[in-house]
Amino acid sequence: MRPIQMVDLKAQYLKIKNEVDKAVINTIESGAFINGPQVKAFKANLENYLDVNAVIPCANGTDALQIALMALGLKPGDEVIVPSFTYVATAEVIALLRLTPVMIDVDPDTFNVTADLIEAAITDKTKAVVPVHLFGQSVDMEPVLKLADKYGLYVVEDNAQAIGADYTFSDGRVSKTGTLGNIGCTSFYPSKNLGAYGDGGAIFTKDLALAEQLQRIASHGQSKRYYHDCVGVNSRLDSVQAAILTIKLAKLDEYAQARQKVAGSYDLAFNSVKDIQIPAKQQNSTHVYHQYTLKVPAQKRDALQNYLKEKNIPSMIYYPVPLNEQKAFLPFIKEKNRSLPVTESLCRSVLSLPVHTEMDQEQLDYICNEVLAFFK
Ligand SMILES: *Cc1c(COP(=O)(O)O)cnc(C)c1O
């Protein structure tokens, strides 16, 4: 059996090696390393795939979130609501901009924020909310958008884990995650569902005025070279990464199907095990399984991980510590003793199993059997 990895980027590369090698060499030979035609082509392809007016490629997903928040013109002290159960980047950029991250709990089954949880945290200082489509499934966005409308809040979607997922509105309209709020952000970190061979990110919006401001901020605040209208940053996707991403974007839906197939096999194997809760699926979102995350009794979680490790099966804990308990954020927490019981309990009971596009049946069967053996 091939060794099992959380993600197998090498095996995925080997299948597209000819195409990728050619694109990389062409890009290098062209000498257009920055803002070359490859970047423009990828931007256009992603705009088309997502059905948005503007994609602004940038250097990574964290920059995408930072630039998005900078474009909203918020003032120090303004509050931005985020889940506590997410990757650090979501809240980090808020704190970095001297805004106040207000961390809230999530739904115990979908691991995502809900409109009710957001509404309970709104104050007269709240200016924006950053829903995270965690692990590859959309937040239930329709009620969130209604809430944002009612309270006049900006919605910046952290779509780093869910690119390619579809959200269906109650009237039947289907839209890609990341295109539902004012601004969407994503990451092309290699292990993400649309991963580059290095760092990368993108910001998307349907609002052309915002798009202009996002583009300006990503490029030193300039609308014209050497004329700086505002203080910006330097955040670019390079041409080599763009060339690779164009090839992988064309396969993104196929890749999502491969992940869904793995998840389907896990679901089937673990569905009836008393101690395992398989990932809950929402009616109105597809799931692109950036992670396949089980919930197990807290007192058995670490033992399960150790058992799997002995069997050469990697697994990961996303995430072991709630953001509101991280030392870095303590100065930003408004209500020091506000507890987020769901997040705290998830941090003790979740375990993510390997899920990627190159998993074969032998590996899958082996993982399923070992997980089942542990709970027998
Ligand atoms: C990966 C990730 C990011 C950050 O992306 P980078 O490209 O690593 O900066 C932000 N938010 C979430 C939820 C992520 O998973």
Side-chain angles (χ1 to χ4, degrees):
M1 189 172 61
R2 291 187 300 130
I4 298 170
Q5 296 172 260
M6 284 302 285
V7 281
D8 194 341
L9 298 175
K10 176 87 183 281
Q12 192 192 57
Y13 161 67
L14 290 176
K15 284 196 183 153
I16 52 174
K17 183 179 183 328
N18 288 341
E19 222 180 325
V20 168
D21 290 2
K22 213 167 85 199
V24 169
I25 288 169
N26 282 346
T27 307
I28 294 171
E29 283 182 346
S30 79
F33 301 113
I34 299 293
N35 273 331
Q38 299 81 3
V39 178
K40 292 183 183 75
F42 174 64
K43 173 181 157 73
N45 289 332
L46 190 56
E47 284 166 353
N48 185 43
Y49 177 83
L50 294 171
D51 192 20
V52 287
N53 293 323
V55 164
I56 294 104
C58 65
N60 57 65
T62 309
D63 274 10
L65 288 161
Q66 181 182 330
I67 294 163
L69 288 168
M70 287 173 80
L72 301 179
L74 306 183
K75 287 185 290 300
D78 284 350
E79 293 176 7
V80 181
I81 296 173
V82 285
S84 185
F85 191 60
T86 179
Y87 183 58
V88 64
T90 320
E92 185 176 39
V93 294
I94 298 168
L96 193 68
L97 296 171
R98 297 290 155 202
L99 306 167
T100 303
V102 175
M103 291 151 187
I104 64 168
D105 224 345
V106 293
D107 179 86
D109 298 317
T110 62
F111 312 130
N112 274 333
V113 293
T114 66
D116 288 345
L117 291 164
I118 293 168
E119 188 163 27
I122 294 175
T123 72
D124 51 10
K125 287 191 175 160
T126 309
K127 293 288 152 48
V129 54
V130 186
V132 180
H133 305 302
L134 202 72
F135 301 152
Q137 180 168 240
S138 183
V139 167
D140 190 7
M141 286 297 283
E142 190 163 349
V144 173
L145 296 174
K146 279 203 190 113
L147 201 66
D149 232 21
K150 180 172 160 194
Y151 290 94
L153 310 179
Y154 290 108
V155 178
V156 176
E157 298 170 73
D158 184 340
N159 197 36
Q161 301 190 1
I163 194 158
D166 287 317
Y167 180 77
T168 306
F169 287 88
S170 53
D171 64 5
R173 258 182 319 132
V174 179
S175 298
K176 293 280 176 207
T177 53
T179 71
L180 305 159
N182 301 92
I183 306 178
C185 300
T186 204
S187 163
F188 304 126
Y189 184 80
S191 64
K192 297 286 157 86
N193 288 34
L194 179 56
Y197 292 172
D199 273 313
I203 316 159
F204 10 102
T205 185
K206 291 184 170 167
D207 180 331
L208 286 174
L210 260 181
E212 219 172 276
Q213 180 66 357
L214 291 163
Q215 179 62 62
R216 195 179 294 140
I217 291 169
S219 175
H220 298 293
Q222 59 192 352
S223 40
K224 202 170 125 196
R225 204 159 197 196
Y226 304 125
Y227 291 80
H228 306 274
D229 306 336
C230 61
V231 174
V233 297
N234 172 27
S235 190
R236 295 182 288 236
L237 179 74
D238 70 69
S239 305
V240 170
Q241 299 307 332
I244 294 164
L245 285 166
T246 290
I247 294 165
K248 293 188 68 176
L249 176 60
K251 303 195 186 308
L252 183 58
D253 289 345
E254 187 188 308
Y255 286 162
Q257 282 160 20
R259 289 171 176 275
Q260 285 157 353
K261 207 168 150 238
V262 172
S265 299
Y266 283 150
D267 280 351
L268 203 63
F270 306 143
N271 196 17
S272 52
V273 180
K274 184 173 95 357
D275 271 348
I276 300 180
Q277 187 178 324
I278 60 171
K281 278 194 290 286
Q282 259 172 237
Q283 285 298 316
N284 50 14
S285 172
T286 59
H287 201 322
V288 294
Y289 293 101
H290 176 59
Q291 298 297 340
Y292 183 90
T293 304
L294 298 176
K295 267 194 331 186
V296 300
Q299 70 276 15
K300 293 188 183 170
R301 196 266 310 268
D302 293 350
L304 170 61
Q305 185 171 39
N306 288 333
Y307 176 85
L308 294 176
K309 193 176 170 205
E310 276 169 27
K311 306 287 176 187
N312 296 313
I313 300 170
S315 62
M316 293 291 285
I317 297 165
Y318 299 117
Y319 295 91
V321 183
L323 287 191
N324 60 302
E325 290 177 14
Q326 298 278 2
K327 199 171 153 199
F329 292 114
L330 295 182
F332 295 91
I333 307 291
K334 270 200 318 176
E335 303 153 70
K336 297 288 179 211
N337 46 16
R338 185 154 120 233
S339 86
L340 302 175
V342 174
T343 299
E344 285 158 26
S345 136
L346 289 176
C347 288
R348 290 191 300 262
S349 57
V350 289
L351 192 69
S352 298
L353 296 180
V355 57
H356 56 76
T357 59
E358 310 306 318
M359 201 112 99
D360 63 34
Q361 198 58 47
E362 189 186 9
Q363 293 173 316
L364 249 177
D365 291 343
Y366 176 75
I367 299 170
C368 290
N369 287 336
E370 290 301 345
V371 171
L372 293 174
F374 176 83
F375 284 105
K376 203 161 273 168

